[in-house]
Amino acid sequence: MATPLRSETGRRSHAMVPNPSRQFNHLCEPNGSVRYPSSYYNPLHQDRASGQRCRTVSFLIFGHSIATFPPIPALEDIRCSGRPHPEDASRIFANTYKIPSSASPKLTKPDRTMPLRPIFGDHPGNTGDQVLSLLRAVRRHLAMDVGFISEFVAGDRIIRFSDVGGPAPNPVMVGTSAPLEQSFCYYVAKGLMPGLMPNAADDPVAAAMPVTRDMPVGAHLSVPLRHADGEAFGTLCCFSYAPDRSLTARDLGLLRLCAEMVEAILARDHGAARERDAKRRRIAALLESDAIEMAFQPIYRTQDGSLAAFEALARFPSPPGQGPDIWFADAAEVGLGEELEHRALRKALAAFPALPAGIKLSVNLSPSALASHRLVEALGDVPSERLVIELTEHAAVASYEELRAVLDPLRARGLFLAIDDVGAGHATLRHVLDLAPEIIKLDMSLIRHIDTHSGRRALTEALTGYGRRIGCEIVAEGVETEAEYAVLRGIGVTRVQGFLTGRPMALQAAAALPPLGTVARREAAATG
């Protein structure tokens, strides 16, 4: 099958040769000189720097391009590709045109890279990075001067992405717009103009448009971008300032492949945007209706089984499978996390008057909610000596110094700090080490089946010993069985919380709890 020769820019010459491995021989005479069939001649072009009409000489040998020699007036464009060493090609070039060795062209690499790392690399870029990398890759591969992606909005074509080659100013700037009827994009999407035009001036519709002369537009390739239902919402386009009759349907097919990839990337991004918008509407509706309820789970001392505190837990009108953690995560994603946390905080603090005297109330806050200027206002005149703020271990802390600056005045008033979920998150003991809390809460993943799992028991013993040595209370979360309770009490855990000792309950039920928990009462009954 005939194979087109390519220049240093990747454009195919008009000549076709039988086999790429014999391309150089096809161009060389037995005596080593280079012959130049008329079919290899390209039209004269204008040198932009000098304004002189000239021809250039370029070799492509094994992917290396010898193309740095200045344009030579009236010299035909030779395109050679094959097996000889690049130095041999350079020698043939110099001998043929009697060029001094000091002026011989230097070996350079062609710009034929496909910069797709933002899509396929180990750390993919965002949607914009991925789309722009595809645009740049296909523009370079097709050797076009300009590539862009447009969107159709309310009768206008708006440029969303743009890429140019070389130092020339970008004639298609991102954000610029024009009426659809004044752009090639509209006519290609409507099927009124071909997607491939080696010379736009040859098409009657394109020739009648001022942009063809003013830009100018020489060769032009364009593929519509379509939604899943087939509706065109934009185009992927590449064009050069000069005509290029080497372009074929295969080039248009490559552009169409890239367009399909762009469609997939944008569809995924649009889907994510629609999902974020739905989340925002759901959170906003929740805040507007004030539909957050609070439940209170008791925490008991292991020493005597007495009631020590309640943890306030937010409850939402959730669809199946969407717990409080998802609500708070969704709110944070759409920028409403702080508002939702403070709404839950105010509802929790309103329970203080109904709780038994001396019983602490524990509330959950993220580092960002703690740093909010609204925190001091929300706390108001609550009894700080009965308030515990739980900082989840999973939450990232940007600056421990700034967080301590917020917490120190509150702790000076008597407020307690607890680190939640210790032993489960990626933050490990960093919160504990840098914030010196009064309370460490062990994650339920450590507690589950601790009576039969030696590894969990060993880690819990280590964390408990560390906490006791620095003066912390140790709370075990998720205690569900008598056996777990017995092991925890035996290794020195000072507080327990879980379904064994009490499920989350409404405020009225929490206020009516007796001072002793069910475990303590059962033990008292057994010994009495």
Side-chain angles (χ1 to χ4, degrees):
M1 177 179 179
T3 304
L5 294 174
R6 286 190 177 271
S7 70
E8 78 287 348
T9 61
R11 293 177 184 168
R12 285 184 283 269
S13 73
H14 296 174
M16 306 294 284
V17 296
N19 189 315
S21 66
R22 297 197 298 274
Q23 287 176 11
F24 191 85
N25 293 332
H26 181 74
L27 293 171
C28 296
E29 299 292 357
N31 63 3
S33 64
V34 181
R35 57 187 173 89
Y36 319 113
S38 60
S39 57
Y40 283 83
Y41 293 174
N42 282 347
L44 288 170
H45 70 273
Q46 184 172 347
D47 179 23
R48 293 184 184 176
S50 64
Q52 182 180 19
R53 293 182 65 78
C54 56
R55 301 186 190 276
T56 59
V57 180
S58 60
F59 284 84
L60 180 63
I61 307 296
F62 271 149
H64 295 282
S65 174
I66 303 175
T68 58
F69 195 82
I72 303 174
L75 206 59
E76 302 300 340
D77 185 358
I78 308 168
R79 305 178 185 275
C80 300
S81 180
R83 294 188 177 279
H85 192 276
E87 292 181 0
D88 296 332
S90 188
R91 175 180 51 78
I92 295 171
F93 178 94
N95 290 339
T96 302
Y97 292 103
K98 305 297 188 256
I99 299 172
S101 59
S102 60
S104 296
K106 297 179 180 179
L107 189 66
T108 61
K109 285 280 189 179
D111 184 12
R112 295 286 305 283
T113 57
M114 297 288 279
L116 299 178
R117 188 182 300 266
I119 300 177
F120 302 110
D122 295 334
H123 303 285
N126 58 32
T127 297
D129 294 336
Q130 294 179 17
V131 171
L132 187 58
S133 71
L134 268 174
L135 176 62
R136 181 171 294 122
V138 72
R139 182 196 62 75
R140 288 181 178 180
H141 191 78
L142 296 174
M144 294 288 102
D145 294 312
V146 181
F148 65 90
I149 292 175
S150 69
E151 183 182 10
F152 302 158
V153 179
D156 287 338
R157 179 216 62 187
I158 302 177
I159 305 301
R160 297 303 189 192
F161 299 90
S162 181
D163 182 68
V164 298
N170 188 348
V172 186
M173 297 296 293
V174 172
T176 58
S177 63
L180 280 176
E181 293 78 5
Q182 297 179 14
S183 69
F184 285 18
C185 302
Y186 171 78
Y187 293 99
V188 171
K190 290 291 186 181
L192 302 175
M193 185 183 290
L196 168 61
M197 292 186 290
N199 185 359
D202 292 342
D203 182 82
V205 177
M209 299 177 66
V211 68
T212 305
R213 300 183 303 276
D214 298 342
M215 189 71 70
V217 178
H220 184 275
L221 300 98
S222 181
V223 174
L225 299 174
R226 301 186 184 277
H227 292 303
D229 60 4
E231 180 186 2
F233 66 87
T235 55
L236 168 59
C237 302
C238 290
F239 70 86
S240 61
Y241 299 116
D244 185 353
R245 299 190 182 280
S246 70
L247 295 170
T248 68
R250 180 172 293 181
D251 296 309
L252 186 61
L254 174 63
L255 191 68
R256 185 172 291 110
L257 173 63
C258 291
E260 291 175 358
M261 295 179 68
V262 169
E263 289 169 353
I265 293 171
L266 294 179
R268 181 185 60 196
D269 184 64
H270 290 163
R274 287 192 298 270
E275 184 177 349
R276 286 193 298 270
D277 186 58
K279 289 177 182 178
R280 172 176 282 277
R281 291 196 303 270
R282 186 168 63 249
I283 300 297
L286 175 77
L287 291 169
E288 184 177 359
S289 63
D290 201 26
I292 307 171
E293 301 292 338
M294 302 304 298
F296 301 85
Q297 187 171 27
I299 301 172
Y300 290 94
R301 299 179 181 90
T302 56
Q303 182 179 9
D304 58 8
S306 61
L307 181 63
F310 287 98
E311 180 180 358
L313 302 167
R315 294 293 181 258
F316 301 93
S318 301
Q322 182 165 315
D325 288 348
I326 296 179
W327 277 95
F328 284 112
D330 288 350
E333 181 184 344
V334 299
L336 295 174
E338 184 181 314
E339 176 67 27
L340 185 60
E341 287 191 67
H342 279 275
R343 184 70 60 89
L345 174 63
R346 288 194 293 270
K347 289 220 168 190
L349 296 179
F352 256 122
L355 297 178
I359 299 300
K360 292 184 175 64
L361 179 64
S362 187
V363 297
N364 291 273
L365 287 177
S366 67
S368 60
L370 271 173
S372 171
H373 66 278
R374 296 187 294 181
L375 178 61
V376 174
E377 178 185 351
L379 295 180
D381 57 356
V382 301
S384 299
E385 69 282 359
R386 294 175 57 194
L387 181 62
V388 178
I389 290 182
E390 295 188 20
L391 180 68
T392 176
E393 191 191 17
H394 299 286
V397 175
S399 170
Y400 283 97
E401 291 184 3
E402 294 179 4
L403 188 56
R404 282 194 296 269
V406 172
L407 287 170
D408 286 348
L410 300 175
R411 296 173 79 174
R413 290 167 46 186
L415 178 144
F416 294 87
L417 176 66
I419 304 300
D420 197 14
D421 303 327
V422 172
H426 60 276
T428 62
L429 296 176
R430 180 72 188 276
H431 290 358
V432 176
L433 293 172
D434 284 9
L435 297 176
E438 289 80 20
I439 301 169
I440 293 175
K441 301 192 73 173
L442 303 177
D443 188 75
M444 65 176 63
S445 63
L446 289 177
I447 308 308
R448 191 63 42 81
H449 306 304
I450 193 173
D451 54 308
T452 60
H453 197 292
S454 60
R456 292 173 183 171
R457 178 167 181 161
L459 182 54
T460 301
E461 285 179 343
L463 292 172
T464 299
Y466 169 79
R468 295 291 295 273
R469 288 189 63 182
I470 63 174
C472 288
E473 295 285 355
I474 308 298
V475 181
E477 296 183 291
V479 181
E480 294 187 353
T481 68
E482 295 275 3
E484 292 170 351
Y485 182 93
V487 169
L488 293 167
R489 184 164 57 179
I491 64 178
V493 169
T494 59
R495 304 282 190 272
V496 292
Q497 176 182 354
F499 286 179
L500 174 68
T501 54
R503 293 174 177 267
M505 60 192 72
L507 177 59
Q508 184 177 3
L513 280 180
L516 285 180
T518 55
V519 174
R521 292 199 302 272
R522 282 198 300 268
E523 291 178 348
T527 59

